[in-house]
Amino acid sequence: MNIISALIELIKNPRHAIAAALAAGPIAAYGLVFVIIFVETGVVFFPFLPGDSLLFISGYFAHNGGFDLMSLLAVAWAAAILGDQLNFVIGHYFGSAIIASGKVKAMSPEHIAHAEAFLAKWGKLAIFLGRFFPFIRTFVPFIAGVGKMHWHNFVVFNVLGGVVWSSVFILLGYFFGGVPYVQNHFELLVVGIIGISVLPMIVGFIRTQLLARKK
């Protein structure tokens, strides 16, 4: 129950969750960042975890002395790359059985269809681009594994995407962390980041529904 409560608190108030982890010590703080990013990108059961906002807020705290910036970047890079790699392996060896079982509620036909369409449109580049879209970033490496994408191609775009995605959001938080407006409207800004991240997925869902009605 404590784990569930912690996840709910993280989703509701990631700033408070990170502040509490920092107060508990560096192992807890860096561990929280690693675990959340690793689980969101590596386990298809948890596509709803707040990766973008967590990275941004971590960068904000790095600006204010809570994290060492280079250590934070290294932890985020490792978590993002290893998470996607695990997701790809799971999809490669067990993906078809997981989908057929229907037991993973997060893996709805709609989510699978969006990930497959994204891969079909962008090919190998989807591994990189998918990083910047919630839900899609969790399902794309899994579907790439199911589709038996060549291992080398996946690794290259996985590393590139993991480093760029995590760096962008951490550095945004770091460089804007000292701006008075950001400090005074922090929660609103985080909500905006989440909204912008989710917007393409919402637009895609609406387009899919409209196209389905026309048929």
Side-chain angles (χ1 to χ4, degrees):
M1 184 61 70
N2 289 334
I3 295 176
I4 296 175
S5 300
L7 285 175
I8 293 174
E9 177 63 23
L10 179 66
I11 295 169
K12 289 171 56 180
N13 193 344
R15 184 181 186 182
H16 179 268
I18 295 175
L22 284 166
I27 294 178
Y30 289 108
L32 175 68
V33 174
F34 182 91
V35 168
I36 296 304
I37 298 303
F38 178 80
V39 171
E40 187 204 12
T41 57
V43 182
V44 292
F45 306 111
F46 298 99
F48 51 81
L49 292 177
D52 297 337
S53 56
L54 179 80
L55 292 171
F56 180 85
I57 296 169
S58 298
Y60 167 86
F61 277 107
H63 175 88
N64 293 285
F67 287 105
D68 173 71
L69 179 61
M70 290 310 301
S71 298
L72 177 63
L73 286 169
V75 167
W77 294 341
I81 293 169
L82 292 174
D84 255 31
Q85 200 64 55
L86 173 64
N87 209 342
F88 178 83
V89 170
I90 293 173
H92 183 85
Y93 290 105
F94 310 106
S96 298
I98 292 174
I99 293 173
S101 71
K103 294 181 179 180
V104 182
K105 301 304 179 183
M107 190 156 289
S108 65
E110 291 80 8
H111 290 152
I112 294 173
H114 283 312
E116 289 175 336
F118 197 78
L119 271 167
K121 181 177 181 179
W122 297 103
K124 294 174 289 187
L125 191 58
I127 305 303
F128 174 84
L129 296 176
R131 289 282 190 176
F132 295 88
F133 302 97
F135 285 85
I136 284 181
R137 80 168 142 260
T138 302
F139 293 120
V140 162
F142 180 87
I143 298 300
V146 174
K148 304 298 187 290
M149 177 181 286
H150 194 282
W151 185 273
H152 178 267
N153 291 333
F154 180 84
V155 169
V156 170
F157 286 95
N158 174 29
V159 172
L160 182 62
V163 170
V164 173
W165 168 64
S166 53
S167 297
V168 165
F169 281 95
I170 286 175
L171 293 177
L172 280 173
Y174 182 81
F175 287 114
F176 286 98
V179 177
Y181 181 86
V182 173
Q183 294 177 338
N184 295 331
H185 302 85
F186 193 84
E187 283 73 19
L188 183 62
L189 186 62
V190 171
V191 171
I193 291 172
I194 296 173
I196 292 172
S197 300
V198 175
L199 183 61
M201 184 177 63
I202 296 175
V203 172
F205 175 77
I206 293 174
R207 287 180 59 187
T208 301
Q209 294 301 311
L210 291 175
L211 289 173
R213 290 181 181 180
K214 290 180 180 179
K215 293 181 180 180

